[in-house]
Amino acid sequence: MPIAMKCECGTDYNFKDEYAGKSVQCPKCKKVFAVCLQGQDAATQPGDQVFNRNKFLLRQKHFAISEKYDVCDEKGVPIIFVQRPMHLLRNLGAIFAGFMAGGLVATLFGILASLTSGALQAVLVILAVLGGLFGIIAVSIMLYAKRHITFYRDKTKKEKLLEVLQDKKVQIINATFTVRSPDGAELATLHKNYLYNIIRKRWYCYKPDKSILCLAKEDSIILSLIRRLLGNFFGLLRTNFIILEPAGEKVIGEFNRNFTILDRYVLDMSADAYKTLDRRIAIALGVMLDTGEKR
């Protein structure tokens, strides 16, 4: 059923249901307004109004064990606090426990090998080595903590606005992360393939129904190849990304690193005038383009 809306300039619109809860820009007066669900106003729309903007400034905090960001508006005023804990002590403990388990398995097989001889002894020695390695890896992975990302209202961390969950502890070829709202609703899935990234870094964003939502990739294939050879070359070859619509042709956003000593980024979604990409998903993608690429 079409959603009837009237802009403040007096222009009437009839939006499809898929636009419910999104913000759009009036082509006539350029004012941005929310497409309300039937019987609701903009204040009751899904998400938080702090995300209702086109530009976000990201400032990564240095000299911190965990990865932390201040997300600011265009004037530089902090509006969101982001944290991705390292879980340093727990993960060091997981590695230690893995070595202990691996050592125990290797010792048991070693004792058995010392009590035998010939071919059986050789087999037990091999099992001691392989079992030790397996014990180290299996126990370490089992106890290792996933590195989720949480978006808070401010540094007090009393109010959660958004979270990005690391789906698997071990992500060798493919890495996936689930974007969720505070009530646990899935908003999108972010996916990258490490093999593709050898040539040109790219991230795919999927809807909960697994259809493609957008694509983010390095801004230039030529610069991408040069970066593989020279690195960032003292910061001169900064890695920037463009965000494209599902068809992969129209640019709807950019994620650029400023030319500064410290990590400063700008997520600019101005090209997505009708806000086809939920800004919560956009800012989650922006953070992953930094922390997920270990920039």
Side-chain angles (χ1 to χ4, degrees):
M1 181 178 178
I3 302 174
M5 295 286 297
K6 181 186 289 290
C7 179
E8 289 184 5
C9 69
T11 306
D12 293 310
Y13 295 97
N14 285 303
F15 295 98
K16 296 181 180 179
D17 291 340
E18 62 193 69
Y19 284 95
K22 296 182 179 179
S23 295
V24 299
Q25 184 180 49
C26 175
K28 186 175 181 179
C29 69
K30 307 302 180 183
K31 181 178 178 59
V32 175
F33 62 91
V35 179
C36 302
L37 298 172
Q38 295 293 339
Q40 293 185 333
D41 56 30
T44 63
Q45 291 303 300
D48 192 285
Q49 289 304 303
V50 74
F51 295 102
N52 189 21
R53 62 192 72 245
N54 288 325
K55 282 190 178 182
F56 300 85
L57 309 182
L58 281 74
R59 299 174 178 175
Q60 184 176 10
K61 293 181 175 294
H62 292 266
F63 311 111
I65 296 178
S66 297
E67 292 178 271
K68 300 178 181 179
Y69 299 83
D70 278 330
V71 180
C72 307
D73 61 17
E74 293 185 69
K75 296 180 180 180
V77 179
I79 54 176
I80 304 172
F81 176 70
V82 185
Q83 183 174 21
R84 189 183 193 190
M86 288 290 292
H87 303 293
L88 184 60
L89 293 179
R90 174 176 170 175
N91 290 339
L92 286 176
I95 295 173
F96 177 76
F99 275 98
M100 292 291 290
L104 178 60
V105 172
T107 299
L108 291 176
F109 278 107
I111 293 174
L112 292 175
S114 67
L115 300 176
T116 60
S117 60
L120 180 58
Q121 185 180 53
V123 171
L124 289 173
V125 170
I126 294 175
L127 290 176
V129 174
L130 296 179
L133 291 174
F134 178 80
I136 293 173
I137 296 172
V139 174
S140 296
I141 292 176
M142 181 176 64
L143 299 179
Y144 213 78
K146 294 180 181 179
R147 297 191 61 207
H148 303 315
I149 304 172
T150 308
F151 296 69
Y152 299 99
R153 176 79 61 189
D154 52 41
K155 295 179 182 179
T156 64
K157 298 189 290 186
K158 293 181 179 180
E159 184 180 357
K160 185 188 300 183
L161 300 178
L162 191 70
E163 59 184 352
V164 180
L165 306 181
Q166 180 181 334
D167 292 335
K168 297 179 180 179
K169 293 182 180 180
V170 179
Q171 304 187 98
I172 300 176
I173 297 178
N174 294 301
T176 60
F177 300 82
T178 300
V179 183
R180 299 198 317 187
S181 61
D183 60 4
E186 180 181 342
L187 301 178
T189 300
L190 306 179
H191 171 274
K192 77 169 180 176
N193 183 295
Y194 290 103
L195 297 181
Y196 293 163
N197 277 13
I198 295 175
I199 304 300
R200 189 178 188 179
K201 294 180 179 179
R202 64 185 68 189
W203 284 74
Y204 294 90
C205 182
Y206 296 95
K207 300 177 183 178
D209 64 5
K210 307 308 177 185
S211 60
I212 185 72
L213 182 58
C214 69
L215 163 66
K217 62 182 179 180
E218 284 184 278
D219 54 350
S220 166
I221 182 63
I222 296 176
L223 287 176
S224 176
L225 294 174
I226 294 175
R227 290 171 188 133
R228 299 301 176 274
L229 296 174
L230 303 179
N232 63 15
F233 200 69
F234 307 104
L236 296 177
L237 297 175
R238 303 184 302 279
T239 303
N240 297 324
F241 288 84
I242 53 176
I243 303 172
L244 302 103
E245 64 179 5
E249 297 179 356
K250 181 182 177 182
V251 175
I252 59 174
E254 298 179 356
F255 184 71
N256 300 323
R257 179 174 179 176
N258 289 341
F259 190 71
T260 57
I261 297 177
L262 301 178
D263 288 342
R264 298 288 186 268
Y265 305 92
V266 179
L267 174 65
D268 188 349
M269 299 298 299
S270 300
D272 184 26
Y274 291 99
K275 296 192 175 181
T276 57
L277 181 61
D278 187 325
R279 294 303 186 256
R280 295 173 296 177
I281 299 173
I283 191 63
L285 176 60
V287 171
M288 286 307 306
L289 290 177
D290 179 49
T291 184
E293 291 296 342
K294 298 179 173 60
R295 294 203 289 163

